[in-house]
Each structure stands twice: as structure tokens, then as C-alpha cells.
Amino acid sequence: MKSTSRAAKPRDLGWAAEAEAYLTRHLAEADPEVAELVAREYARQAGGIELIASENVVSRAVLEAQGSWFSNKTVEGVPGDRYHGGAEIADRLEALAEVRSCRLFGAGFANVQPHSGSQANQAVFKALLKPGDRVLAMDLRAGGHLSHGSSANLSGQVYETQFYGVRETNGWLDYDALADQAGRFRPKLIVAGGSSYPRALDLPKLRAVAESVGALLLVDMAHFAGLVAGGVLENPVDHADIVTTTTYKSLRGARGGLILWTDETLSRKLRAGVFPGVQGSPLLNMIAAKAVGLGEALAPSFAAYASAVQQNARMLAETLDRRSVPVVTGGTDTPLVLVDLRGRELTGAAASDLLARAGITCNKNLVAGDPRSPRETSGLRFGVSAMTTRGADAEAMEAIGHWIADVLIGRDGRPTEDDLALERIRTEARALAHRYPYYPA
Ligand SMILES: *Cc1c(COP(=O)(O)O)cnc(C)c1O
């Protein structure tokens, strides 16, 4: 049979040529359909005003590490204690990423394996809690995160969670209410940090609350880790038992998660929480890219970036505030600006659609006391990490703030829905974006 005779001679020239083509063809040749989508995404990014808070722009070096030969290597376990052979170089890579993490944040120990921020949290929960144990975390509507015990997430089904909020009138965390609630609920773990709380956390107060009830304190600094790395915000590692973060938001590295801690007695449990607790083999190419990003954040120039992010976020908040767009807490200490559209006809969903038509990408977000559903919302969330990376300064942020105000409240207090008016802003926004460098296409 023809097919059998082909299979019986795998070493003939045809087979080798096929292998060579498989290993060497570029994407454009191998898969034009995906290549075209990649090219279109590049154009979208290069010409847009990117204000999605969880996004940033990684360096060419990070992209190269992501696409490196480490993509092909499987390991399990931790450096020096693996289940697969050929891991010597992978061990050095992962150890390097750990050392850089510890140096950057002054931590005693790090685990760089979590595939994402959610999995970092899942691993910590798995490591330190038993099913049914109590967790006190920030309400999703107040800026918390799904992975902090939301009923829609596995964490909310396995553990008994209660949530604390922010003051509905002004959006600030109420630490006294949190202390009272902790006293009544007696959680084993308190989680702080969220995805839309724009203010710096009062870390000593959080520590005191945790100690007063004998709870462990987990700070999830996903959104503001870059500002901690740059020395702009106080370091949660000095106050919390465990700190988790994503590496790709303000920290400006590869996509993934990171766990930091200082008490060695937690080490065995936390590592086991990641593997075999919630993950199998780590993504070594992503660990390589994380190491590169961490190296970049250790360079002195990163402090200037972090400080520019905070200044730009404040400029955006101030501009919106001056134009009477309500900003939650009246400002920000982080890369985030949260807009409160409660009591207005315009929903967060409709507002983010209008802004997208004007060339500005952001996301709808719940706000404290939000009467609308998570699909509609009464809030909008902006983050300035990506535009700051591309070179936006305070003047550019001010211009962007005015465009946002033009769309949300227009000249007469009504949103701009007119195609022509939105297209005019889009043209200006695209021109601004194209003034900044982007990767060579
Ligand atoms: C973004 C974020 C995460 C989750 O990160 P993923 O990588 O999307 O899983 C976790 N916690 C907080 C506070 C976040 O903002």
C-alpha cells in the first residue's frame, strides 16, 4: 500500500524537506490567515489611544524571549527539583527570574510560575486555606477581582467569602468598617487590592486589621505593581504575608502572574499551591520573558516611567474633573481613573462603545452602589500605562481627557453620538497615536 511504504521510510529526502519547511517557514507563508489578523492587530494598536488599564506595551526583547526556544521545553517542579531531564538551563532561567523578582520588590521568596494573576491567587488560596475557610475580600463592585472569592469564580465556591466595600458616596475604602467586619467574620485570610480601586492602600492599617483577628494578609497589587517597582507607591511586601501580582499591567512585562513572600515557613506550601496545586508545567518561554521584563524594571530608568504613569493618570483625572466628568474619589494615586456615570442615561457599555468609535479604547466597569448589571455598568475604567510607555506626556493626556469629555458630555451635557463628530475625534486621536513610536512593522 502506498501510504504504508511512505511511513516505512521516514528518513527519505521528502520527509526531511518537509521537516525543514515545518521548522523554518515564517508565519506569513505557513498561515496567511493568522498572519493577516496579526498584521491587522498591529495596525489597530499603532493607531489607537489605548486606555485599557490592564494593558501595556512590552519591549521587543520581551517579545523575542516569548518566542524563544524555551517554548519547546517541559519541566515540572521548581529549579533543582524537576521531574524531567534536560532542565539545567531552565533551572538557571527560572532561578534568575526569581532572584530578579525578589530584588525588585525586596521579597525573600518568589514563584514566577503562575500563568496569570488569577492563577497566582488561586494557588495562594489553595496553599493556605482549606475548603470552607473564611476569606474577606473587596467587593467586585467596589473594585475587587473575580479571583478574590466571587461566586462566579471557583474561589467563591470553595471558600466562605464575605466582601467589604467602599463608601458609596465618595468611593474611598472605609478601614473602620473593614475592621468591624473582620472582627465579626473572623476570616482566615484578608485580601486587599483590586482591579478598579484608584487609590493607594493604607498598608499599615490593613496589617493592623489582619493582626487584630489573626488573619493572613494577601495584597494583590496587579494594577499598581509597576508603581511599587518604581518606588512611587509603598511596597506591600513590607506589610503583607503574601503579595500577588500580574506581570503585564503597570509592571510592563510578559503576560503572567507572580507570588512574593518573606516568611520561609510559607515556602513549601506556596510552591505546592502552584504545582501540583493548580498548575502543571510552567510556560518557560513566558518565564524567560518575565525575567527580561523584571530586568527592565530593575533598571534606573523604570522609576521615571513609574512616576510618569502616576502623573499622567492624575492629569487625566484632573482634566475630566475640570470638565465635570465625575471621577471616583476625585482623583488617583495609581495608573487607574474610574469614572462614575450613575444617575445618567449613558451606561458604561454605551460610553465605551462611543469612545471606541472615537479611537479611544477603555472598558466599562462596575462602580460602588452600581444599580446596573456587569454587562451594562455605570462606570468606565481608564489606565495610562500603555500610552505612557509609548511616550504620552501630561500635555497629551490633557488632550485625551478633553476628547473623552467631548464624547461623554459633549458641549451641551449630552453624549456625542453623531458619526461625523466622533470621526473628527478619531482622526485627531489617530494622528496623536501615530506621533509615538511603535514596533517596526
Ligand atoms: C488583572 C487582575 C488579576 C488577574 O489577572 P489575569 O492575568 O487576568 O488572571 C488579578 N487580580 C487583580 C487585582 C487584577 O487586577
Side-chain angles (χ1 to χ4, degrees):
M1 277 183 311
K2 208 169 175 205
S3 60
T4 315
S5 71
R6 262 192 79 178
K9 298 189 289 177
R11 287 171 180 283
D12 70 15
L13 265 183
W15 191 81
E18 211 169 290
E20 188 173 349
Y22 166 76
L23 292 170
T24 55
R25 259 182 307 170
H26 284 283
L27 180 62
E29 198 188 333
D31 190 334
E33 202 175 350
V34 170
E36 198 212 316
L37 295 175
V38 170
R40 286 173 65 167
E41 175 63 7
Y42 172 88
R44 189 194 69 81
Q45 291 181 14
I49 300 293
E50 183 53 74
L51 294 179
I52 292 181
S54 40
E55 295 191 16
N56 210 325
V57 182
V58 297
S59 66
R60 190 96 203 168
V62 165
L63 289 180
E64 274 178 31
Q66 281 176 202
S68 69
W69 321 128
F70 278 114
S71 290
N72 297 331
K73 181 71 193 123
T74 300
V75 293
E76 280 176 344
V78 292
D81 184 15
R82 304 286 196 189
Y83 292 80
H84 302 76
E88 304 77 18
I89 304 166
D91 280 4
R92 286 177 61 182
L93 173 76
E94 189 173 339
L96 180 66
E98 286 180 0
V99 166
R100 287 182 178 177
S101 304
C102 290
R103 264 179 55 213
L104 185 60
F105 293 109
F109 308 93
N111 188 297
V112 297
Q113 293 189 1
H115 301 326
S116 73
S118 297
Q119 287 199 286
N121 289 332
Q122 209 186 342
V124 172
F125 279 38
K126 171 85 171 65
L128 304 177
L129 303 171
K130 288 193 292 295
D133 276 351
R134 291 181 173 181
V135 177
L136 180 58
M138 190 185 243
D139 196 338
L140 209 53
R141 279 170 194 261
H145 191 265
L146 284 163
S147 62
H148 296 179
S150 160
S151 60
N153 184 271
L154 193 62
S155 58
Q157 290 159 14
V158 175
Y159 309 100
E160 187 187 342
T161 28
Q162 265 195 16
F163 298 101
Y164 58 91
V166 293
R167 293 197 188 92
E168 284 187 20
T169 46
N170 63 12
W172 286 83
L173 238 172
D174 185 343
Y175 292 91
D176 294 331
L178 167 59
D180 285 347
Q181 194 178 357
R184 276 177 274 118
F185 185 52
R186 314 293 300 182
K188 190 160 177 201
L189 179 73
I190 295 178
V191 188
S195 50
S196 61
Y197 187 66
R199 291 297 181 170
L201 296 172
D202 188 332
L203 296 164
K205 260 189 201 160
L206 288 167
R207 175 87 237 160
V209 172
E211 274 178 13
S212 72
V213 296
L216 289 163
L217 177 62
L218 164 63
V219 172
D220 179 347
M221 62 173 179
H223 274 281
F224 59 92
L227 272 55
V228 172
V232 173
L233 289 179
E234 210 179 341
N235 189 351
V237 172
D238 298 337
H239 302 272
D241 299 287
I242 316 100
V243 174
T244 53
T245 185
T246 55
T247 40
Y248 60 89
K249 296 176 184 171
S250 59
L251 192 51
R252 201 167 65 171
R255 303 196 75 81
L258 174 64
I259 307 173
L260 303 157
W261 67 98
T262 36
D263 177 359
E264 190 168 7
T265 64
L266 297 177
S267 295
R268 194 188 51 77
K269 280 187 189 170
L270 285 171
R271 291 194 181 112
V274 179
F275 171 85
V278 301
Q279 288 188 182
S281 57
L283 313 173
L284 281 171
N285 57 321
M286 298 311 287
I287 290 179
K290 278 181 200 173
V292 173
L294 291 159
E296 291 166 353
L298 278 162
S301 59
F302 194 81
Y305 168 70
S307 144
V309 167
Q310 193 187 48
Q311 282 167 28
N312 280 344
R314 286 183 168 155
M315 176 53 91
L316 179 61
E318 264 174 54
T319 308
L320 293 174
D321 190 59
R322 259 187 281 132
R323 291 283 305 274
S324 307
V325 175
V327 171
V328 174
T329 74
T332 181
D333 304 314
T334 67
L336 301 176
V337 177
L338 190 64
V339 162
D340 185 351
L341 300 170
R342 274 180 308 165
R344 293 174 189 242
E345 212 177 295
L346 187 66
T347 65
S352 86
D353 287 346
L354 290 178
L355 285 168
R357 282 162 62 193
I360 296 169
T361 326
C362 67
N363 63 273
K364 62 187 174 194
N365 213 95
L366 290 167
V367 291
D370 204 324
R372 294 185 173 119
S373 74
R375 285 189 180 281
E376 284 215 299
T377 82
S378 302
L380 275 182
R381 187 184 67 160
F382 301 103
V384 303
S385 300
M387 289 315 291
T388 306
T389 294
R390 292 194 61 192
D393 58 6
E395 203 185 317
M397 285 320 303
E398 197 178 359
I400 293 169
H402 281 295
W403 291 331
I404 293 170
D406 288 346
V407 172
L408 298 185
I409 60 170
R411 299 268 161 227
D412 54 358
R414 303 192 50 76
T416 303
E417 286 165 319
D418 173 60
D419 273 335
L420 258 173
L422 290 171
E423 185 55 41
R424 256 200 309 277
I425 297 175
R426 191 191 179 90
T427 305
E428 285 187 70
R430 195 180 287 128
L432 179 81
H434 280 304
R435 281 214 296 279
Y436 299 118
Y438 213 55
Y439 309 104

